[in-house]
Structures are given as C-alpha cells and as structure tokens.
Amino acid sequence: MATTIANLTAKQDGVLEGMLTTLNVNVPIALVPNATKASDEAPDVRIIARRNGFELGAGWNRISKHTGEEYLSVKMAAPEFGVIYGNVAPAPGNDPAKKVILWNPPA
C-alpha cells in the first residue's frame, strides 16, 4: 500500500506546489525545476519549504524498469522527520495537473 505524504498542483511555470503532510509535519512545499543543473548527477528539481525558503530535498527524473515510464524520485530531509524517500505520481482522478508524493520507505 502506498502512503501519500504530499498533494501537489502543477503550475504553468513547471513548479509543483502543495503540502507535505505527515504525523508531525504540515508544511507548504514547492518542487522547483533546477535551472542550474550542471551534470547528469545533479538533481532535476529542488524541494523548497515555502514558509522559510529552506531547501528540504531534491528530485531526479528516473525511468521505470517495469513500465519504461518516466517518474520523479525525491529525497527530503529535516530534523523534524529525518530522511524521507518518495516518488511523484499522478493523483487519483483525471486532472493531469494534480500530483502526489508517495512515501517509499526503506526496505
């Protein structure tokens, strides 16, 4: 079972904005395209806390080995919640602008 930890909306400029929500955290975030990406290993997006502008994490475009589809893999870290891994996926429903981050706990 996948656990949703964020609900996001795609904006016209490519930014995804929404709320990161866990048992201890409820913070507005933005996934901002990395305009200064200098290498293939650099993240494709930066994850920013909207309240204070702190960088919480980053995301990398990946291709699924099973389906061949592209997705965004994210990693976030903060003292309040430690390290969180997740994947950005379409939200339930038919709105292509709506996305979610699904928690991907370590095995």
Side-chain angles (χ1 to χ4, degrees):
M1 179 176 89
T3 301
T4 298
I5 59 170
N7 291 293
L8 307 167
T9 301
K11 303 298 180 185
Q12 297 231 348
D13 60 1
V15 173
L16 291 170
E17 290 186 338
M19 294 296 291
L20 171 65
T21 306
T22 69
L23 292 175
N24 297 330
V25 175
N26 190 26
V27 63
I29 61 171
L31 282 69
V32 180
N34 184 3
T36 61
K37 182 174 174 155
S39 71
D40 288 341
E41 293 81 29
D44 295 294
V45 300
R46 303 274 186 201
I47 303 172
I48 307 298
R50 284 295 199 196
R51 286 188 189 139
N52 54 21
F54 292 165
E55 186 169 328
L56 293 176
W60 294 263
N61 291 323
R62 302 284 190 234
I63 296 177
S64 170
K65 294 177 185 175
H66 301 292
T67 66
E69 292 184 33
E70 189 173 308
Y71 68 98
L72 187 64
S73 173
V74 298
K75 178 182 177 182
M76 296 176 278
E80 295 81 4
F81 55 76
V83 177
I84 294 178
Y85 295 94
N87 297 321
V88 176
N94 295 323
D95 188 346
K98 301 291 184 184
K99 308 288 183 193
V100 295
I101 296 178
L102 300 175
W103 179 42
N104 189 6

